[in-house]
Amino acid sequence: MVPALSRAPDFLASLASSFLDHAAFVLVYLDGDHRVLHADDRIAAVLKGGRDGLLGRRLADTDHPIAQAVTRAAEQAARTGTAAPLDCEGERPGVGRTLLSGFVLPHRGESGAVQGFLGVFQDVTDPERIADFVMRRDPFVATLLDAAVDGVVVSDRGGIIRKINRACCTLFGYAEEELVGRNVSVLMPSPFSRDHDKYIHSYLDTGRAKIIGIGRDSLGKRKDGTVFPIHISVGQARMGGDVTFVGIIRDISERLAAEQRASYLARHDPLTGVLTRTAFLEECEAVLVNHDPADPGAGLYALYALDVDQFSDINEAFGFHVGDAALKAMVSRVSEVLPPQTYVCRIAADEFAALSRVEGAEHAQTLADLLHDRLTASIYADRHWVRLRLSIGAAVQDAEVRTLEELNAKAKLALQAAQHDGGNKVCLYTHEMAAAATRRMFLTMHLTHAIERNELHMVYQPIVDARSGRVVSAEALLRWTHHTLGPVSPGEFIPVAEESGLIVPITDWVLSTVVRQMADWFEAGVLPDRVFINISGQQFLRGNLTGRLEELLNQYPALHKRLGLEITEQAAVRDLKAAVRTLTELEAIDVQVAIDDFGSGYSSLSYVQQLPVAKLKIDRAFIIDVPENTRNNALVRAAVGMAHGLGLVTVAEGVETEEQRDFLVSIGCDLLQGYLFGRPIPPDALADMVRKQMETV
Ligand code: C2E
Ligand code: CA
Ligand code: CA
């Protein structure tokens, strides 16, 4: 009867020691930590410890050469997973100096892990007996071998199977009797079977081994002819002049399948199934190496870099399920639009890249536009309709740009240009983009030190009552005078500040500077009704704006009801829920909010209607050509009418001419701002303006 595998060591320990001690060979059994679980009296005698002194101890702790040799062999067996040869000298009481030879066999548990070692050896003076042991149907060896999970085959120098264990029979679908006495090559498919004899002979002649002591992956052949992957390791026991081979065979079908799965996972993004970055780079590089852009028939490759603008807003507003579903939908649309032989990869959470063959730059632009149209169309994701804003940068091979690295760098620059230009658009790489990117990098670096170098200051532009022309409020506008570049326009550096995150400390500086200025004006009795500060979208939705303003208002209680903020309509509608929350908080502390640049985005009054705001600032672009442009006249008139319907005060920006003013007054616009009434000016100049106005009352 075969003992349960997991109890094999117990079983060994419980075997009558008399049986083991009288076996024709010396036996020792070590557990996984090389602790002695069984040792027969003879080995105990050799090691001079006595059996009781040996049991439970680690062999390595016994500094006897044989103990050391067994430990080394066990280590080798653990490493190679196969029988490790053992040859060492020892002193045997009553016999004298003796040469021991044999091997240490790894013993595996069900999990496949090596859980112990069986050392089997004998005086070399008696080689016949050990050879006899290996091949004999010894009940102990048979039990151990049959308990092993791996297949074990013992064959002689001619490759004839002398012993085979149960696992091996099961593995190959044979009965034991069918195999013992046959050549091991019966277990191998060709060409392995054909080469096997040759291999053994060459090994016996030259001693050069391809497999012995190393182990390798190979193929096995079952009785029914089916072939399957195996790992085979072969140990040899040289006894006297003869050799016995012990093969340990493991079915590795599952391991290979797992490896294939792992390699698929390593090369593909688990969410969307597209290539990972590394896999993408490898595949694209291989494609480009074999492609000659000079060959007119070969076409050119275009690289598209895609980035969803503010993707985190979607996750925050709808949850990750919706975000994930939107990304999946996005990827499937990419494959709909781009040609079939396109490589797509996911670079980061919401960043993708695609490499496609195109006819030329124009074709690449058409595809990129199409891609943008498709990807920004509404997506139904997890019971929500979402619309992504997406920036695409594209670069096409030409005489200068050939390698993937170059293409990638250019596509990224084009993507940055698209993002810098407000995002949600397509940009094809041009040379100017490289220069612009360098300039942005330069500005970012220098903007970092702008506050500490005292390079920032505020100017104020008056906002007047349309009918009376009196200054009622002012807009605070930031200025940066770089020590070498001179003045840098906020139109240029504010986007840089937003992209780099520098907008956070800068806004903080603006808030405290303006509030301090207002307190001074208040003291001097020249503070306009309200002063408006521009807040970028990022700050509005994320920063703890209300908290900071509350702090400042506590510090300057006189400024209560005198502070206003301007936020762009795009920032406000990007995340309507968050916007409403912040706006409600601001309303509670009497900070008035105006919607800036109204009409410049693609939102509508129906959105604005949902926001608790007080003012609507109509974008300069609409004012610029009134009253000549009748279309804009109608638009401005409608905006003013509807805003009034919603109870909002209207402000027209960029008023430069009397005609513009007269038109705006005639349609009932409440407040006006523009060069006609005053440019953005230093605080003292604004104070003078207010003071003069008070004198004329
Ligand atoms: P904005 O908020 O729309 O500011 C109005 C811009 O129009 C200002 O440009 C102003 O000088 C200009 N402007 C006013 N009246 C006229 C006019 O009659 N004709 C013309 N042609 N232009 C006029 P500025 O100061 O260069 O600011 C540009 C943008 O930079 C601002 O646009 C705003 O978006 C941003 N910005 C300025 N200061 C700040 C700030 O402190 N924080 C933030 N986040 N953004 C700021
Ligand atoms: Ca503004
Ligand atoms: Ca504006």
Side-chain angles (χ1 to χ4, degrees), residues 475-477 533-535 566-567 596-597 617 653 673:
E475 176 177 1
L477 292 160
I533 299 172
N534 291 284
I535 299 292
E566 295 190 2
I567 57 161
D596 205 356
D597 302 346
K617 295 188 81 172
E653 295 187 287
Q673 179 181 358

Side-chain angles (χ1 to χ4, degrees), residues 103-127:
F103 48 84
V104 173
L105 216 75
H107 175 220
R108 291 180 203 269
E110 255 169 309
S111 69
V114 174
Q115 67 174 39
F117 304 92
L118 179 70
V120 185
F121 33 92
Q122 196 178 39
D123 305 341
V124 275
T125 47
D126 199 2

Side-chain angles (χ1 to χ4, degrees), residues 351-384:
E351 278 177 51
F352 294 85
L355 184 84
S356 294
R357 200 144 63 178
V358 294
E359 285 150 25
E362 217 169 289
H363 185 206
Q365 174 84 54
T366 312
L367 283 179
D369 288 337
L370 212 62
L371 206 55
H372 190 264
D373 282 355
R374 266 310 271 141
L375 297 187
T376 52
S378 299
I379 292 174
Y380 187 69
D382 205 27
R383 296 194 307 280
H384 292 274

Side-chain angles (χ1 to χ4, degrees), residues 563-586:
L563 211 55
L565 302 180
E566 295 190 2
I567 57 161
T568 61
E569 58 165 339
Q570 276 179 36
V573 301
R574 197 182 293 153
D575 182 350
L576 212 55
K577 249 190 355 221
V580 169
R581 198 168 48 235
T582 307
L583 289 169
T584 311
E585 286 170 9
L586 291 170

